[in-house]
Amino acid sequence: MSGCEARDAKKLVRSPSGLRMVPEHRSARSPFGLDEPPWVPDKEVSCPRCMQCDTKFDFITRKHHCRRCGKCFCDKCCSKKVPLPRMCFVDPVRQCAECALISQKETEFYDKQLKVLMNGATFFVTLGTSDKSELMVCRLSNNQRYLVLDGDSHYEIEIIQISTVQILTEGFTPGGGNTRAIGMILQYKVPGSEELTQMKFTASEDFSCNKKLSASWLAAMHKATKLLYESRDQ
């Protein structure tokens, strides 16, 4: 097994919330992942009532913990079992109604948009304040930890080093419904340096199919950025 394969190796672990397939090394975890939350203690003094509908727990009304937020709920308020890939659960897990809705929306990212990012798209890339751009294929690495750019040059930007992402649009003002993504400005730190490096990505105008693919890739990157910020703020 190569060093890269060893770092990306995974193991099956059992937690109170369920089975999880996690990286053997924490450094290999996805930058979009979330840690399991601590559960609200089962003791009556800590959680005597459902934290949603305020129903009192007793021998008939049992308490359940949401696997995403860790709070206590009755069965009625925490009955849905929904996939939670951000915490690496193998099977769908019990979640409260609010968390289940969030997880269901994230499922679209893992089922569709993540594949778009990994397949890549073509952009003209400008580094820093240079007035020269290079046509490059940009994609997310299979382990989700790097943004890989290939052209005459080659770059690998570690996702966790990305500071800001600004999606560039054209058309009417946001909310008008007629804007489309045409590029992005990325700021990131190079390992060993505290200064930010900037890259500008501009969609190729050569073919309409390229523009559509680039717009889809940028939309997926916008969603990925939101998940990245959430993971950092946890």
Side-chain angles (χ1 to χ4, degrees), residues 30-140:
S30 167
F32 310 120
L34 294 174
D35 291 326
E36 283 189 81
W39 281 11
V40 172
D42 277 333
K43 296 178 181 178
E44 185 176 350
V45 66
S46 302
C47 187
R49 296 176 178 274
C50 174
M51 300 178 81
Q52 177 63 40
C53 69
D54 205 38
T55 297
K56 182 176 175 59
F57 295 124
D58 53 31
F59 288 110
I60 297 176
T61 306
R62 298 179 58 193
K63 64 183 65 174
H64 300 276
H65 287 89
C66 172
R67 272 50 175 174
R68 186 180 180 111
C69 67
K71 296 178 181 179
C72 280
F73 301 92
C74 66
D75 182 69
K76 181 179 179 182
C77 294
C78 193
S79 61
K80 292 186 177 181
K81 289 191 175 182
V82 179
L84 187 46
R86 293 186 74 184
M87 292 185 190
C88 303
F89 284 109
V90 174
D91 301 308
V93 291
R94 187 185 292 270
Q95 297 178 55
C96 66
E98 182 178 351
C99 287
L101 183 60
I102 296 172
S103 295
Q104 286 170 339
K105 290 180 179 180
E106 290 174 352
T107 298
E108 180 181 357
F109 172 76
Y110 280 88
D111 288 348
K112 297 179 181 179
Q113 293 170 316
L114 197 57
K115 294 176 183 177
V116 171
L117 290 174
M118 290 179 177
N119 287 337
T122 302
F123 296 92
F124 285 105
V125 178
T126 306
L127 182 62
T129 57
S130 173
D131 57 356
K132 295 181 179 180
S133 61
E134 180 179 342
L135 190 63
M136 308 187 82
V137 175
C138 308
R139 63 178 179 83
L140 184 69

Side-chain angles (χ1 to χ4, degrees), residues 6-25:
R7 286 194 300 272
D8 291 340
K10 296 185 178 182
K11 61 183 178 180
L12 191 65
V13 298
R14 182 180 294 276
S15 73
S17 299
L19 285 173
R20 302 169 65 222
M21 184 65 74
V22 301
E24 289 191 355
H25 302 279

Side-chain angles (χ1 to χ4, degrees), residues 133-203:
S133 61
E134 180 179 342
L135 190 63
M136 308 187 82
V137 175
C138 308
R139 63 178 179 83
L140 184 69
S141 64
N142 290 337
N143 60 21
Q144 304 172 20
R145 299 204 309 275
Y146 295 91
L147 192 60
V148 181
L149 288 71
D150 279 311
D152 290 336
S153 305
H154 176 82
Y155 298 96
E156 291 187 8
I157 302 170
E158 197 170 5
I159 296 295
I160 61 172
Q161 298 296 339
I162 293 176
S163 176
T164 61
V165 176
Q166 178 187 356
I167 302 298
L168 305 176
T169 61
E170 69 174 9
F172 295 103
T173 56
N178 290 306
T179 60
R180 69 181 182 94
I182 59 171
M184 72 175 179
I185 295 176
L186 189 75
Q187 289 187 319
Y188 64 97
K189 287 183 179 180
V190 176
S193 173
E194 289 300 315
E195 294 185 2
L196 290 175
T197 298
Q198 179 173 296
M199 273 189 176
K200 182 178 180 180
F201 298 68
T202 305

Side-chain angles (χ1 to χ4, degrees), residues 196-227:
L196 290 175
T197 298
Q198 179 173 296
M199 273 189 176
K200 182 178 180 180
F201 298 68
T202 305
S204 171
E205 297 287 339
D206 292 345
F207 303 99
S208 61
C209 59
N210 284 347
K211 289 194 291 185
K212 291 180 179 179
L213 182 60
S214 298
S216 296
W217 194 93
L218 290 168
M221 188 64 188
H222 181 60
K223 178 61 177 179
T225 303
K226 289 184 177 181
L227 299 188

